[in-house]
Amino acid sequence: MADPLTLRLTIPDPVAGLRYSLQDPKSFPVDVRVATEAALTFDVPATLRPDGQLAGPFVRREGKARRFVYIAIGGQAGQTDAVGRHISRRAKIDVHDIPTVLLKPGAVVEAVLPGRGKDGTPACATVRPLGPWRAVD
């Protein structure tokens, strides 16, 4: 049996006016929000399998060990206006490297992610947390 926990993904500086969402395994946007100047937070349900691997409806796998979650942005999050057609990206957040000491049943584990690339557009591709993953009380 797998133990439930929550992966909290926080973007303190999203690009205002763009849609952001989680992306399910069929690449469908889920929990769509339009960004403002405020931080965005997604609580991602996950489970810890007996073998120590993370799983869940939004946790994807690549190979034997890599696990990640996608945050869709703009067109990838279903935005169809001119901006959404111009900016259609997703951020890939690795979750296989979360320290095992943090992965406990019922835990909420948070990563703070960069919201923008050097050019000011949304951070995309593989996005690394700004600091270490941390347990949230």
Side-chain angles (χ1 to χ4, degrees):
M1 175 147 186
D3 293 316
L5 59 109
T6 300
L7 306 174
R8 179 168 290 163
L9 305 174
T10 299
I11 305 168
D13 60 341
V15 178
L18 285 178
R19 288 186 183 186
Y20 287 73
S21 73
L22 295 175
Q23 197 172 59
D24 76 8
K26 294 184 180 182
S27 297
F28 187 79
V30 176
D31 193 14
V32 178
R33 297 125 184 245
V34 177
T36 64
E37 297 299 324
L40 282 176
T41 298
F42 291 96
D43 281 350
V44 183
T47 54
L48 183 61
R49 298 183 342 192
D51 65 0
Q53 295 282 356
L54 286 170
F58 301 101
V59 177
R60 297 191 188 198
R61 59 186 294 171
E62 190 174 275
K64 291 183 179 184
R66 189 173 192 189
R67 300 291 184 273
F68 59 92
V69 173
Y70 277 131
I71 294 179
I73 305 161
Q76 288 279 327
Q79 190 167 353
T80 58
D81 62 10
V83 174
R85 286 192 304 272
H86 179 69
I87 297 177
S88 184
R89 309 178 174 179
R90 59 187 180 180
K92 185 178 197 176
I93 298 93
D94 285 324
V95 298
H96 61 272
D97 53 2
I98 298 172
T100 55
V101 68
L102 299 176
L103 301 176
K104 299 175 183 173
V108 177
V109 183
E110 181 182 41
V112 177
L113 306 168
R116 300 167 188 247
K118 291 178 183 176
D119 63 356
T121 63
C124 62
T126 300
V127 175
R128 304 279 181 220
L130 294 171
W133 286 85
R134 67 179 189 94
V136 178
D137 295 329

